[in-house]
Amino acid sequence: MTIKYKKPELLAPAGSLEKLKIAFQYGADAVYFGGKDFSLRAAAQNFSYEEMKEGAEFAHSLGKKLYCTINVMPKNEDLEQMPKFLKQLEEVGIDAVLVSDLGVLGMVKKHTNLAIHVSTQANTINYEACNVWESLGAERVVLARECSLEDIKTMREHINPELELEAFVHGSMCISYSGRCLLSSFMAGRDSNMGACTQSCRWKYSLVEEKRPNEYFPIEEDSHGTYIMNSKDLAMIEHLPELLNAGISSLKIEGRNKSEYYVAVIVNAYRQAIDLYYKDPENYKLPEALKEELYKVNHRKYHTGFFFKEPKEEGIIYDTNFHIRDYDMTAIVLDYDKETGMALCRQRNKFVKGDVIEVLSPGKFDQSFVAEEIYNEDGEKIDECQHPNMIFKIKTPFELEKNSFFRCKVKKK
């Protein structure tokens, strides 16, 4: 198979400074984040000025990039503070900003020299829109999730080769068009277009007949009920050759509200899969172990979104709105002593002596050991770690990197 396009960027979410550092450690080429204002993920921790500065310095020390999302749909009163915020982004050295509103794009150009990426919230689904965005100063367009691979190929053929295209390849999907939804505002008074979505689409609903108020009739797929707007998660790791030959410049992972562990697992899997493909595209085959990694985080059932065809009922999960959880992330490694073979860790979920612990490290996911020697902070032997954030030491048969993760299979009750 001939490689038509250069190796794309792997772009990871960073809901906090710690997640940013872990994303880079596990193989991301760039991360995107939100500041305290003007971001569409109000539930994320988001970055202060000092954190943005530290994040930019950290990224650039590795030769990597950092993008800030300013993709809200601002009202008049929201614009007053924006010039100051934009200048702060320029001061700290952000590599690009993501915008979806024409007014915000104009303000970025007026007040800064920041590179501009057009957010998926702008709903770009055709090449003429791409060309207009470029004429207005955009260097990259993040495509709407509703685009198919054929759509993307056609766009690539009708736009400037220098204009970059970015596409989501993994993570949560939205029932509404490119995430532009009023359901949360209507039902909970929280505006999804200002970053405060309550995910009302994933709630359980009942039917009410107008002449019988307060009588609720269940809408049932089975005994658990039904969730008529609950989209499956996107996962395209099995289709990397198709993605990489469509002319996509940046492969984007969704999840600024997800955990550090989630970021590490998903970035690690896609990093290795992409590198394997470019190492030998003629003989590339996705290792089954990499595919299985995607099932070791909390997830919904997976689907390929709009890439191959418009999803109908097969793109919705009707029987539950809970995530699938087959593994618990039990601890993160803070330090490792080579002389003693002891890892200093912070506990996240309970595990006990005798449990089989899998280890995820940058570029590795196939190591495991049995927990035998566990010590508390006072050096006392213990049989279990019960308390979240408890600091402990554990003997391991191999050396570990800082920010390696321990995980255990969920014990079936």
Side-chain angles (χ1 to χ4, degrees):
M1 184 180 290
T2 303
I3 294 178
K4 189 175 181 180
Y5 300 103
K6 69 178 183 179
K7 195 173 187 177
E9 169 187 271
L10 179 59
L11 177 58
S16 67
L17 186 60
E18 183 63 26
K19 293 174 190 176
L20 175 150
K21 293 178 179 180
I22 285 174
F24 284 136
Q25 185 179 0
Y26 279 81
D29 298 305
V31 302
Y32 62 100
F33 74 98
K36 295 295 184 183
D37 301 301
F38 311 115
S39 167
L40 273 182
R41 287 293 181 273
Q45 289 175 267
N46 294 322
F47 284 56
S48 66
Y49 175 83
E50 291 74 19
E51 289 170 330
M52 289 191 291
K53 185 176 181 181
E54 182 177 344
E57 290 172 352
F58 184 81
H60 297 155
S61 72
L62 301 172
K64 300 190 177 187
K65 294 184 177 181
L66 189 61
Y67 310 138
C68 183
T69 59
I70 317 175
N71 51 353
V72 296
M73 300 294 177
K75 298 178 182 178
N76 291 326
E77 57 267 26
D78 299 317
L79 299 178
E80 186 177 344
Q81 297 299 318
M82 189 166 288
K84 178 182 177 182
F85 181 67
L86 293 173
K87 288 174 182 175
Q88 287 182 333
L89 296 180
E90 192 169 38
E91 285 172 9
V92 301
I94 301 304
D95 294 284
V97 291
L98 286 91
V99 306
S100 54
D101 179 79
L102 279 170
V104 175
L105 185 149
M107 294 184 78
V108 174
K109 292 178 66 176
K110 180 179 179 180
H111 297 285
T112 75
N113 292 307
L114 289 165
I116 296 171
H117 296 177
V118 177
S119 169
T120 190
Q121 301 298 126
N123 316 127
T124 305
I125 58 171
N126 63 71
Y127 56 80
E128 285 294 358
C130 290
N131 290 329
V132 171
W133 285 121
E134 184 186 27
S135 73
L136 294 173
E139 296 182 5
R140 177 185 294 185
V141 175
V142 187
L143 300 174
R145 285 176 171 87
E146 293 75 24
C147 290
S148 68
L149 280 172
E150 289 304 313
D151 291 333
I152 297 170
K153 290 177 183 177
T154 301
M155 287 185 219
R156 186 77 273 171
E157 292 168 358
H158 289 82
I159 65 175
N160 184 343
E162 298 302 313
L163 180 63
E164 297 180 345
L165 299 178
E166 178 179 306
F168 281 94
V169 298
H170 193 95
S172 298
M173 294 285 283
C174 182
I175 194 69
S176 295
Y177 195 81
S178 287
R180 301 184 74 164
C181 178
L182 297 175
L183 191 62
S184 177
S185 296
F186 180 76
M187 300 189 73
R190 289 174 54 180
D191 190 348
S192 59
N193 297 311
M194 291 296 287
C197 183
T198 57
Q199 294 196 344
S200 308
C201 55
R202 302 192 189 277
W203 296 353
K204 185 177 181 179
Y205 291 91
S206 297
L207 183 68
V208 177
E209 197 274 324
E210 65 174 332
K211 293 183 180 179
R212 285 184 274 185
N214 300 318
E215 289 189 42
Y216 298 95
F217 301 92
I219 306 171
E220 292 186 348
E221 182 74 11
D222 58 21
S223 60
H224 301 289
T226 191
Y227 302 83
I228 56 178
M229 296 179 285
N230 186 29
S231 302
K232 291 181 180 178
D233 284 353
L234 177 66
M236 287 293 288
I237 198 168
E238 294 182 75
H239 303 282
L240 283 178
E242 295 98 314
L243 289 170
L244 301 176
N245 285 286
I248 300 171
S249 312
S250 179
L251 305 181
K252 188 170 193 173
I253 297 168
E254 181 275 339
R256 278 189 282 152
N257 289 337
K258 302 290 178 64
S259 68
E260 292 96 333
Y261 171 68
Y262 178 95
V263 172
V265 172
I266 303 303
V267 170
N268 198 54
Y270 277 86
R271 173 79 281 150
Q272 292 192 60
I274 293 167
D275 291 348
L276 278 172
Y277 174 78
Y278 278 90
K279 185 177 180 180
D280 187 4
E282 295 289 340
N283 299 300
Y284 172 78
K285 183 179 180 181
L286 179 69
E288 189 67 22
L290 281 180
K291 178 182 172 182
E292 290 175 0
E293 278 295 290
L294 305 189
Y295 294 87
K296 295 183 178 182
V297 296
N298 290 0
H299 65 282
R300 301 180 185 93
K301 294 176 182 177
Y302 286 126
H303 192 258
T304 55
F306 289 80
F307 279 110
F308 297 105
K309 65 177 182 178
E310 185 175 343
K312 301 294 184 182
E313 64 274 4
E314 75 278 3
I316 303 294
I317 307 167
Y318 293 102
D319 58 347
T320 181
N321 65 349
F322 290 111
H323 285 82
I324 300 168
R325 183 172 66 90
D326 293 326
Y327 280 78
D328 278 332
M329 192 276 275
T330 53
I332 184 170
V333 175
L334 305 177
D335 200 2
Y336 188 81
D337 188 327
K338 294 180 183 179
E339 291 186 8
T340 62
M342 301 291 288
L344 178 69
C345 306
R346 184 184 300 277
Q347 191 251 5
R348 293 294 176 85
N349 284 289
K350 180 181 176 180
F351 71 96
V352 301
K353 182 178 179 180
D355 279 350
V356 176
I357 294 177
E358 289 188 17
V359 179
L360 174 75
S361 297
K364 301 176 184 177
F365 54 88
D366 55 357
Q367 294 178 308
S368 63
F369 68 97
V370 176
E372 294 179 341
E373 289 187 44
I374 313 170
Y375 302 86
N376 63 20
E377 282 190 279
D378 296 324
E380 300 166 333
K381 265 196 173 185
I382 55 176
D383 290 333
E384 58 185 39
C385 290
Q386 288 187 317
H387 310 297
N389 292 319
M390 173 182 173
I391 302 298
F392 68 94
K393 291 182 178 181
I394 188 168
K395 184 86 169 179
T396 67
F398 39 75
E399 186 177 344
L400 294 175
E401 287 187 56
K402 181 181 178 181
N403 291 331
S404 294
F405 292 92
F406 292 170
R407 63 191 177 200
C408 296
K409 283 187 176 180
V410 172
K411 297 179 176 69
K412 303 299 182 183
K413 295 181 180 179

